[in-house]
Amino acid sequence: MPTIAVVGAGIVGLTTAAHIQSLLPQAQVTIIADKFNGDTTSDGAAGLLLPAANFRGPTFDITKDWIAYSYKYYEQLLQENCGVYEISGFMLSSVREEDVKNELMVGVAAEFRPATHQELLQYPGNWKYGSFMTTLLICCRTFLPWLLERIKSRGATVVKRTVQDLKELSGSYDVVVNCSGLQARWLCDDIHVAPIRGQIVKVKAPTVDKFLFGDGPDTYIIPNGDGLVSLGGTCQYNVWEPTVRAHDSVGIKARCSAILPSLQSAPVAWEWAGLRPYRHCVRVEPEWFGSSKVVHNYGHGGYGVTSAPGTARDAARLVLQLVNSHSKL
């Protein structure tokens, strides 16, 4: 029976563990992490399946395949009462038509088309360009606990532990899967990993039923399906401060209220700030780490929810290859 350790229990770690269980049902999977569910960075994600147009894996084709697979993976869970919903909305721009285009979503989203002139007139502002899209929303506050319980029900072991060095696990597992996010900077000595500080404001606005992006990816309004709406955001590269900043909250609510004035009076439910694990290219590849076989799966930035199932599938395939190569020795 192969033994597999997955380091990290955010959206990337859990979807990777689930895919390993599906591909290697005989394997003993252990999830090792210092944070779970509400303590993870994934818990604060707005959860809209929509990558930035410049989000990248090794190639454009691989990246689009990740997104397309992730969409299908979540779509199959729509009836599971696990925090996955279908949602529609608009990307708006007063500056550039490129801001409302996204080749990674063409042919992937259930619907993706130019917004009509009348649709642009619905919202205050000098909107010159727009796109309408139907995609998926993954509410991680519901989805992460659901997926963790599903993985445990299939025999996985969960260990709460801080891993300081991947070599600590050497000899204890056949393969170690590194889904450690920002911690990969130290665990792998990977200087390409850096934080992007994100902050959102959750408000009570149950009548808002469409997502809205205004002039790029940093101003967004995303209903969560539970009466709360995520307002964002910030995208502060290499900023290591994970606490909520009052001036960012004021700016976020002002920008969002300019697009949807009803939000001015919406009461704040809670606020969140966290450090997204950015890398210029998401790393999904095997490596010998000391005497251990390691599969890396990290560096998703602010698009872990959007791309995690796709990278998890590829990481699980690499695990299978390593297990098979070991069994032939």
Side-chain angles (χ1 to χ4, degrees):
M1 177 186 296
T3 56
I4 315 295
V6 177
V7 179
I11 189 71
V12 175
L14 293 189
T15 53
T16 299
H19 278 77
I20 292 169
Q21 287 182 320
S22 296
L23 205 56
L24 282 162
Q26 76 277 19
Q28 176 56 55
V29 176
T30 301
I31 299 173
I32 304 172
D34 60 343
K35 296 177 181 178
F36 292 87
N37 295 335
D39 294 326
T40 65
T41 300
S42 301
D43 180 73
L48 189 71
L49 200 157
L50 178 60
N54 62 355
F55 173 73
R56 286 294 180 270
T59 68
F60 175 82
D61 288 342
I62 289 173
T63 308
K64 185 157 186 175
D65 182 56
W66 286 345
I67 305 304
Y69 176 82
S70 296
Y71 195 101
K72 292 177 182 177
Y73 173 85
Y74 290 126
E75 189 176 39
Q76 292 172 355
L77 299 175
L78 281 170
Q79 307 304 319
E80 291 285 344
N81 193 29
C82 62
V84 179
Y85 310 97
E86 192 172 70
I87 187 171
S88 299
F90 294 93
M91 296 187 294
L92 307 170
S93 178
S94 61
V95 183
R96 294 177 297 272
E97 188 174 8
E98 289 75 17
D99 289 343
V100 300
K101 292 183 176 181
N102 193 318
E103 288 300 316
L104 290 172
M105 292 299 286
V106 174
V108 173
E111 184 177 5
F112 190 12
R113 60 169 175 77
T116 67
H117 179 65
Q118 288 301 316
E119 287 171 334
L120 295 180
L121 293 177
Q122 293 180 84
Y123 304 104
N126 184 29
W127 306 118
K128 297 177 182 177
Y129 312 101
S131 293
F132 176 84
M133 182 185 300
T134 298
T135 183
L136 301 172
L137 179 80
I138 298 87
C139 180
C140 281
R141 186 150 288 190
T142 301
F143 184 72
L144 290 182
W146 176 85
L147 184 57
L148 182 59
E149 289 305 312
R150 190 181 198 187
I151 293 166
K152 288 164 62 177
S153 73
R154 294 177 176 177
T157 302
V158 175
V159 176
K160 187 170 185 179
R161 168 185 168 186
T162 300
V163 176
Q164 303 288 353
D165 190 326
L166 291 178
K167 293 177 182 177
E168 296 173 17
L169 307 176
S170 179
S172 299
Y173 301 93
D174 294 316
V175 182
V176 174
V177 189
N178 173 28
C179 304
S180 59
L182 191 58
Q183 295 304 310
R185 181 181 177 98
W186 297 280
L187 290 179
C188 307
D189 194 25
D190 188 344
I191 61 172
H192 298 295
V193 179
I196 291 183
R197 181 183 175 277
Q199 182 168 321
I200 61 172
V201 179
K202 296 273 190 175
V203 299
K204 298 177 181 178
T207 61
V208 177
D209 62 355
K210 287 184 173 58
F211 70 82
L212 297 166
F213 280 75
D215 279 329
D218 298 337
T219 298
Y220 54 81
I221 299 163
I222 303 175
N224 298 164
D226 58 0
L228 297 182
V229 178
S230 297
L231 308 183
T234 63
C235 187
Q236 299 162 349
Y237 178 75
N238 209 29
V239 174
W240 291 86
E241 176 53 63
T243 57
V244 171
R245 295 174 176 176
H247 67 276
D248 281 333
S249 296
V250 171
I252 288 168
K253 198 164 185 185
R255 295 198 311 272
C256 292
S257 296
I259 301 173
L260 203 61
S262 63
L263 294 172
Q264 291 177 349
S265 58
V268 174
W270 52 278
E271 299 171 275
W272 175 91
L275 306 180
R276 302 157 176 151
Y278 172 78
R279 194 173 186 270
H280 64 287
C281 174
V282 180
R283 188 183 186 192
V284 183
E285 62 184 19
E287 180 185 21
W288 280 97
F289 206 91
S291 60
S292 298
K293 293 178 179 179
V294 176
V295 172
H296 298 290
N297 186 12
Y298 65 84
H300 300 65
Y303 304 101
V305 174
T306 289
S307 61
T311 66
R313 176 204 59 191
D314 286 2
R317 288 172 175 173
L318 292 172
V319 170
L320 177 62
Q321 291 174 14
L322 291 177
V323 168
N324 286 342
S325 67
H326 179 77
S327 65
K328 293 175 182 178
L329 296 179

